[in-house]
Coordinates of all heavy atoms in Angstrom, one line a residue:
Chain A
R1045 N -16.3 3.8 20.9 CA -15.1 4.2 20.2 C -15.5 5.2 19.2 O -14.8 6.2 19.0 CB -14.5 3.0 19.5 CG -13.7 2.1 20.3 CD -12.9 1.2 19.5 NE -12.3 0.2 20.3 CZ -11.8 -1.0 19.9 NH1 -12.0 -1.3 18.7 NH2 -11.2 -1.8 20.7
G1046 N -16.6 5.0 18.5 CA -16.9 6.0 17.4 C -17.1 7.3 18.0 O -16.7 8.3 17.4
E1049 N -13.6 9.1 19.7 CA -12.5 9.5 18.8 C -12.9 10.5 17.8 O -12.2 10.7 16.8 CB -11.9 8.2 18.2 CG -11.3 7.3 19.3 CD -10.5 6.2 18.7 OE1 -10.2 6.2 17.5 OE2 -10.4 5.2 19.4
G1050 N -14.0 11.1 18.0 CA -14.4 12.3 17.1 C -14.9 11.9 15.8 O -14.9 12.7 14.9
G1051 N -15.3 10.6 15.6 CA -15.8 10.2 14.3 C -17.2 10.7 14.1 O -17.7 11.5 14.9
D1052 N -17.9 10.1 13.1 CA -19.3 10.5 12.9 C -20.1 9.9 14.1 O -20.1 8.7 14.4 CB -19.7 9.8 11.6 CG -21.2 10.0 11.3 OD1 -21.8 10.8 12.1 OD2 -21.7 9.4 10.3
F1055 N -24.6 7.5 14.8 CA -25.0 6.1 14.7 C -25.1 5.6 16.1 O -24.5 6.1 17.1 CB -24.0 5.3 13.9 CG -22.6 5.2 14.5 CD1 -22.3 4.2 15.4 CD2 -21.6 6.1 14.2 CE1 -21.0 4.1 16.0 CE2 -20.3 6.0 14.7 CZ -20.1 5.0 15.6
M1058 N -22.2 0.1 15.7 CA -21.4 -0.2 14.5 C -21.1 -1.7 14.5 O -20.7 -2.3 15.4 CB -20.1 0.6 14.6 CG -19.3 0.4 13.3 SD -17.7 1.2 13.4 CE -18.2 2.8 13.3
S1067 N -11.0 -16.7 -4.3 CA -10.7 -15.6 -5.3 C -11.7 -15.7 -6.5 O -12.1 -16.8 -6.9 CB -9.3 -15.8 -5.8 OG -9.0 -14.7 -6.7
F1087 N -12.5 -7.8 -13.9 CA -12.0 -8.5 -12.7 C -10.7 -7.9 -12.3 O -9.7 -7.9 -13.0 CB -11.9 -10.0 -12.9 CG -11.2 -10.7 -11.8 CD1 -11.8 -10.7 -10.5 CD2 -10.0 -11.3 -11.9 CE1 -11.2 -11.3 -9.4 CE2 -9.4 -12.0 -10.9 CZ -10.0 -12.0 -9.6
V1088 N -10.7 -7.3 -11.1 CA -9.4 -6.8 -10.5 C -9.3 -7.5 -9.2 O -10.1 -7.3 -8.3 CB -9.5 -5.3 -10.3 CG1 -8.2 -4.8 -9.6 CG2 -9.7 -4.6 -11.6
S1089 N -8.3 -8.3 -9.0 CA -8.1 -9.1 -7.8 C -7.8 -8.1 -6.7 O -6.9 -7.3 -6.8 CB -6.9 -10.0 -8.1 OG -6.7 -10.9 -7.0
T1090 N -8.4 -8.3 -5.5 CA -8.2 -7.4 -4.4 C -6.9 -7.7 -3.8 O -6.5 -8.9 -3.6 CB -9.3 -7.7 -3.3 OG1 -10.6 -7.4 -3.9 CG2 -9.1 -6.8 -2.1
V1091 N -6.2 -6.6 -3.5 CA -4.9 -6.8 -2.8 C -5.1 -6.7 -1.3 O -5.6 -5.7 -0.8 CB -3.9 -5.6 -3.3 CG1 -2.6 -5.7 -2.4 CG2 -3.6 -5.7 -4.7
G1092 N -4.8 -7.7 -0.6 CA -4.9 -7.7 0.9 C -6.3 -7.6 1.4 O -7.1 -8.5 1.4
I1093 N -6.6 -6.4 1.7 CA -7.9 -6.1 2.4 C -8.4 -4.7 2.1 O -7.5 -3.8 1.8 CB -7.8 -6.4 3.9 CG1 -9.2 -6.4 4.5 CG2 -6.9 -5.4 4.6 CD1 -9.3 -7.5 5.5
D1094 N -9.7 -4.4 2.1 CA -10.2 -3.1 1.9 C -11.5 -3.0 2.6 O -12.0 -4.0 3.1 CB -10.4 -2.8 0.4 CG -10.5 -1.4 0.0 OD1 -10.4 -0.5 0.9 OD2 -10.6 -1.1 -1.2
F1095 N -12.1 -1.9 2.7 CA -13.4 -1.8 3.4 C -14.2 -0.6 2.9 O -13.7 0.3 2.3 CB -13.3 -1.8 4.9 CG -12.9 -0.5 5.5 CD1 -13.9 0.4 5.9 CD2 -11.6 -0.2 5.6 CE1 -13.5 1.6 6.5 CE2 -11.2 1.1 6.2 CZ -12.2 2.0 6.6
K1096 N -15.5 -0.7 3.1 CA -16.4 0.4 2.8 C -17.4 0.5 4.0 O -17.6 -0.4 4.8 CB -17.3 0.1 1.6 CG -16.5 0.4 0.3 CD -17.4 0.2 -0.9 CE -16.6 0.5 -2.2 NZ -16.5 2.0 -2.4
V1097 N -18.0 1.7 4.1 CA -18.9 2.0 5.3 C -20.3 2.3 4.7 O -20.4 3.0 3.7 CB -18.4 3.1 6.1 CG1 -19.3 3.5 7.2 CG2 -17.0 2.8 6.7
T1099 N -24.4 3.1 6.2 CA -25.3 3.2 7.3 C -26.7 2.7 7.0 O -27.2 3.0 5.9 CB -25.4 4.7 7.8 OG1 -24.1 5.2 8.0 CG2 -26.2 4.8 9.0
K1108 N -24.2 1.5 11.7 CA -23.1 1.7 10.8 C -22.4 0.4 10.5 O -22.0 -0.3 11.4 CB -22.1 2.7 11.3 CG -21.1 3.2 10.3 CD -20.7 4.6 10.6 CE -21.7 5.6 10.1 NZ -21.2 7.0 10.0
L1109 N -22.4 0.0 9.2 CA -21.8 -1.2 8.8 C -20.4 -0.9 8.3 O -20.2 -0.2 7.4 CB -22.6 -1.9 7.8 CG -24.1 -2.2 8.1 CD1 -24.7 -2.9 6.9 CD2 -24.2 -3.1 9.4
Q1110 N -19.4 -1.5 8.9 CA -18.0 -1.5 8.4 C -17.8 -2.8 7.7 O -17.7 -3.8 8.4 CB -17.1 -1.3 9.6 CG -15.7 -0.9 9.3 CD -14.9 -0.9 10.6 OE1 -14.7 -2.0 11.2 NE2 -14.4 0.3 11.0
W1112 N -15.8 -5.3 5.4 CA -14.4 -5.6 5.0 C -14.5 -6.6 3.9 O -15.1 -7.6 3.9 CB -13.6 -6.2 6.2 CG -13.4 -5.1 7.2 CD1 -14.3 -4.7 8.2 CD2 -12.3 -4.3 7.4 NE1 -13.7 -3.7 9.0 CE2 -12.5 -3.4 8.5 CE3 -11.0 -4.2 6.7 CZ2 -11.6 -2.5 8.9 CZ3 -10.1 -3.2 7.1 CH2 -10.4 -2.4 8.2
Q1117 N -7.2 -14.8 -2.4 CA -6.0 -15.6 -2.7 C -5.2 -16.0 -1.5 O -5.1 -15.3 -0.5 CB -5.0 -14.8 -3.6 CG -5.6 -14.6 -5.0 CD -4.8 -13.7 -5.9 OE1 -3.9 -13.0 -5.4 NE2 -5.1 -13.5 -7.1
R1119 N -2.2 -16.3 -0.7 CA -1.0 -15.5 -0.3 C -1.3 -14.4 0.7 O -0.5 -13.9 1.4 CB -0.2 -15.0 -1.5 CG -1.0 -13.9 -2.3 CD -0.4 -13.7 -3.6 NE 0.8 -12.9 -3.7 CZ 2.1 -13.3 -3.9 NH1 2.3 -14.5 -4.0 NH2 3.1 -12.4 -3.9
Y1120 N -2.6 -14.0 0.7 CA -3.0 -12.9 1.7 C -3.6 -13.4 3.0 O -4.1 -12.7 3.7 CB -4.0 -12.0 1.0 CG -3.5 -11.3 -0.3 CD1 -4.0 -11.6 -1.5 CD2 -2.5 -10.4 -0.2 CE1 -3.6 -11.0 -2.7 CE2 -2.0 -9.8 -1.4 CZ -2.5 -10.1 -2.6 OH -2.1 -9.5 -3.7
T1122 N -2.6 -14.6 5.8 CA -2.1 -14.0 7.1 C -2.8 -12.7 7.4 O -3.2 -12.4 8.5 CB -0.6 -13.9 7.1 OG1 0.0 -15.1 6.7 CG2 -0.1 -13.5 8.5
I1123 N -2.8 -11.8 6.4 CA -3.3 -10.5 6.6 C -4.8 -10.5 6.8 O -5.4 -9.8 7.6 CB -2.8 -9.5 5.5 CG1 -3.0 -8.1 6.0 CG2 -3.5 -9.6 4.2 CD1 -2.0 -7.1 5.4
Y1127 N -8.0 -9.7 10.4 CA -9.1 -8.8 10.5 C -10.4 -9.6 10.9 O -11.4 -8.9 11.0 CB -9.3 -8.1 9.1 CG -8.3 -7.0 8.9 CD1 -7.1 -7.2 8.4 CD2 -8.6 -5.7 9.4 CE1 -6.1 -6.2 8.2 CE2 -7.6 -4.7 9.2 CZ -6.4 -5.0 8.6 OH -5.5 -4.0 8.5
Chain B
T1012 N -1.8 -2.2 -9.6 CA -3.1 -1.9 -8.9 C -2.9 -0.8 -7.9 O -2.1 -0.9 -7.0 CB -3.5 -3.2 -8.1 OG1 -3.5 -4.3 -9.0 CG2 -4.9 -3.0 -7.5
M1014 N -3.9 1.5 -4.9 CA -4.7 1.2 -3.7 C -5.8 2.3 -3.5 O -5.6 3.4 -3.9 CB -3.7 1.3 -2.5 CG -2.6 0.2 -2.5 SD -3.2 -1.5 -2.3 CE -3.3 -2.0 -4.0
T1015 N -6.8 1.9 -2.8 CA -7.9 2.8 -2.4 C -7.3 3.6 -1.3 O -6.3 3.2 -0.6 CB -9.1 2.1 -2.0 OG1 -8.8 1.4 -0.8 CG2 -9.7 1.2 -3.1
E1017 N -8.3 3.9 1.6 CA -8.4 3.1 2.8 C -7.2 2.1 2.8 O -6.6 1.9 3.9 CB -9.7 2.4 2.9 CG -10.9 3.2 3.3 CD -11.5 3.9 2.0 OE1 -11.0 3.6 0.9 OE2 -12.4 4.8 2.2
Q1018 N -7.0 1.5 1.7 CA -5.9 0.5 1.6 C -4.6 1.1 1.9 O -3.7 0.5 2.4 CB -5.9 -0.2 0.2 CG -6.9 -1.3 0.1 CD -6.9 -1.9 -1.3 OE1 -6.9 -1.2 -2.3 NE2 -6.9 -3.2 -1.4
L1021 N -4.2 1.2 5.5 CA -4.2 -0.1 6.1 C -2.9 -0.8 5.8 O -2.2 -1.4 6.6 CB -5.3 -1.0 5.6 CG -6.7 -0.6 6.1 CD1 -7.8 -1.4 5.3 CD2 -6.9 -0.8 7.5
L1022 N -2.5 -0.7 4.5 CA -1.3 -1.5 4.0 C 0.0 -0.7 3.8 O 1.0 -1.3 3.7 CB -1.7 -2.2 2.7 CG -3.0 -3.0 2.7 CD1 -3.2 -3.6 1.3 CD2 -3.0 -4.2 3.7
V1027 N 0.6 -1.4 -6.1 CA 1.3 -2.7 -6.1 C 1.4 -3.2 -7.5 O 0.5 -3.3 -8.3 CB 0.5 -3.8 -5.2 CG1 1.2 -5.1 -5.3 CG2 0.3 -3.3 -3.8
K1036 N -3.2 -16.8 -13.2 CA -3.3 -15.3 -13.0 C -3.1 -14.9 -11.6 O -3.6 -13.8 -11.2 CB -4.7 -14.8 -13.5 CG -4.9 -14.8 -15.0 CD -4.4 -13.5 -15.6 CE -4.4 -13.5 -17.1 NZ -3.8 -12.3 -17.7
T1037 N -2.5 -15.7 -10.8 CA -2.1 -15.3 -9.4 C -0.7 -14.7 -9.4 O 0.1 -15.0 -10.3 CB -2.1 -16.5 -8.5 OG1 -1.3 -17.5 -9.0 CG2 -3.5 -17.1 -8.3
P1038 N -0.5 -13.7 -8.5 CA 0.8 -13.1 -8.5 C 2.0 -14.0 -8.2 O 1.9 -14.8 -7.3 CB 0.7 -12.0 -7.4 CG -0.8 -11.9 -7.1 CD -1.4 -13.2 -7.5
K1039 N 3.0 -13.9 -9.0 CA 4.2 -14.7 -8.8 C 5.2 -13.9 -8.0 O 5.9 -14.4 -7.1 CB 4.8 -15.1 -10.1 CG 5.5 -16.4 -10.2 CD 5.7 -16.9 -11.6 CE 6.2 -15.9 -12.7 NZ 6.6 -16.5 -13.9
I1040 N 5.2 -12.6 -8.3 CA 6.1 -11.6 -7.6 C 5.3 -10.3 -7.5 O 4.6 -10.0 -8.4 CB 7.4 -11.3 -8.5 CG1 8.3 -12.6 -8.5 CG2 8.1 -10.1 -8.0 CD1 9.4 -12.5 -9.6
Q1041 N 5.4 -9.7 -6.3 CA 4.7 -8.4 -6.1 C 5.7 -7.4 -5.6 O 6.7 -7.7 -4.9 CB 3.6 -8.6 -5.1 CG 2.4 -9.3 -5.6 CD 1.3 -9.5 -4.6 OE1 1.6 -10.2 -3.6 NE2 0.1 -8.9 -4.7
E1067 N -14.3 10.1 7.4 CA -14.7 9.1 8.4 C -14.0 7.8 8.1 O -13.5 7.2 9.1 CB -16.2 9.0 8.3 CG -16.7 8.0 9.3 CD -18.2 7.6 9.0 OE1 -18.7 8.0 8.0 OE2 -18.7 7.0 9.9
S1068 N -14.0 7.3 6.9 CA -13.5 6.0 6.6 C -12.0 6.0 6.8 O -11.4 5.0 7.2 CB -13.8 5.6 5.2 OG -13.3 6.5 4.3
M1069 N -11.3 7.2 6.6 CA -9.9 7.3 6.9 C -9.6 7.1 8.4 O -8.7 6.4 8.8 CB -9.3 8.7 6.5 CG -9.5 9.0 5.1 SD -8.6 7.9 4.1 CE -9.8 7.6 2.9
Q1070 N -10.5 7.7 9.2 CA -10.3 7.5 10.6 C -10.5 6.1 11.0 O -9.8 5.5 11.9 CB -11.3 8.4 11.4 CG -11.0 9.9 11.3 CD -12.0 10.7 12.1 OE1 -13.1 10.3 12.2 NE2 -11.5 11.8 12.6
M1071 N -11.5 5.5 10.4 CA -11.7 4.0 10.7 C -10.5 3.2 10.3 O -10.1 2.3 11.1 CB -13.0 3.5 10.0 CG -14.3 4.0 10.6 SD -15.6 3.1 9.7 CE -17.0 3.9 10.4
A1072 N -10.0 3.5 9.2 CA -8.8 2.7 8.7 C -7.7 2.9 9.7 O -6.9 2.0 10.0 CB -8.4 3.2 7.3
R1074 N -7.9 3.6 12.8 CA -8.2 2.8 14.0 C -8.0 1.4 13.9 O -7.5 0.7 14.7 CB -9.6 3.1 14.5 CG -9.8 4.4 15.2 CD -11.1 4.4 16.0 NE -12.3 4.2 15.2 CZ -12.9 5.3 14.8 NH1 -12.5 6.5 15.0 NH2 -14.1 5.1 14.1
A1075 N -8.4 0.9 12.7 CA -8.3 -0.6 12.4 C -6.9 -1.0 12.3 O -6.6 -2.2 12.6 CB -9.1 -0.9 11.2
S1076 N -6.0 -0.2 11.7 CA -4.7 -0.6 11.5 C -3.9 -0.4 12.8 O -4.3 0.3 13.7 CB -4.0 0.1 10.3 OG -4.1 1.5 10.5
S1077 N -2.8 -1.0 12.8 CA -1.9 -0.9 14.0 C -1.4 0.5 14.2 O -1.5 1.3 13.3 CB -0.8 -1.9 13.9 OG -0.1 -1.7 12.8
D1087 N 5.4 -4.7 7.0 CA 4.6 -5.8 7.6 C 3.7 -6.5 6.6 O 3.6 -7.7 6.6 CB 3.6 -5.2 8.7 CG 4.4 -4.8 10.0 OD1 5.6 -5.2 10.1 OD2 3.8 -4.1 10.8
F1088 N 3.1 -5.7 5.7 CA 2.3 -6.2 4.7 C 3.1 -7.2 3.8 O 2.7 -8.3 3.5 CB 1.7 -5.1 3.8 CG 1.0 -5.5 2.6 CD1 0.0 -6.4 2.6 CD2 1.4 -5.0 1.3 CE1 -0.6 -6.8 1.4 CE2 0.8 -5.4 0.2 CZ -0.2 -6.3 0.2
S1091 N 4.1 -10.4 5.5 CA 3.0 -11.3 5.7 C 2.8 -12.2 4.5 O 2.3 -13.3 4.6 CB 1.7 -10.6 6.1 OG 1.1 -10.0 5.0
I1092 N 3.2 -11.6 3.3 CA 3.0 -12.4 2.1 C 4.2 -13.4 1.9 O 4.0 -14.5 1.5 CB 2.8 -11.5 0.9 CG1 1.5 -10.7 1.0 CG2 2.9 -12.2 -0.4 CD1 1.3 -9.6 0.0
G1093 N 5.4 -12.9 2.1 CA 6.6 -13.7 1.9 C 7.7 -13.1 1.1 O 7.6 -11.9 0.7
D1095 N 8.5 -13.3 -1.9 CA 8.3 -12.9 -3.3 C 7.5 -11.6 -3.3 O 7.0 -11.2 -4.3 CB 7.5 -14.1 -4.0 CG 6.3 -14.5 -3.4 OD1 6.0 -14.0 -2.2 OD2 5.6 -15.4 -3.9
C1096 N 7.3 -11.0 -2.2 CA 6.7 -9.7 -2.1 C 7.8 -8.6 -1.6 O 8.3 -8.8 -0.5 CB 5.5 -9.6 -1.2 SG 4.6 -8.1 -1.2

Side-chain angles (χ1 to χ4, degrees):
Chain A
R1045 278 190 191 163
E1049 296 184 20
D1052 178 5
F1055 65 88
M1058 186 184 289
S1067 180
F1087 172 63
V1088 179
S1089 184
T1090 301
V1091 173
I1093 193 138
D1094 200 0
F1095 76 93
K1096 280 182 178 287
V1097 177
T1099 306
K1108 191 147 283 194
L1109 304 179
Q1110 194 183 65
W1112 292 82
Q1117 289 172 354
R1119 65 196 281 108
Y1120 300 114
T1122 307
I1123 197 156
Y1127 285 88
Chain B
T1012 307
M1014 297 292 97
T1015 65
E1017 289 83 5
Q1018 281 179 310
L1021 294 168
L1022 310 176
V1027 175
K1036 286 271 175 191
T1037 53
K1039 213 159 47 168
I1040 290 165
Q1041 282 177 300
E1067 184 195 8
S1068 57
M1069 299 297 134
Q1070 288 184 328
M1071 282 188 189
R1074 280 202 294 272
S1076 58
S1077 56
D1087 287 349
F1088 169 56
S1091 78
I1092 293 173
D1095 56 355
C1096 184

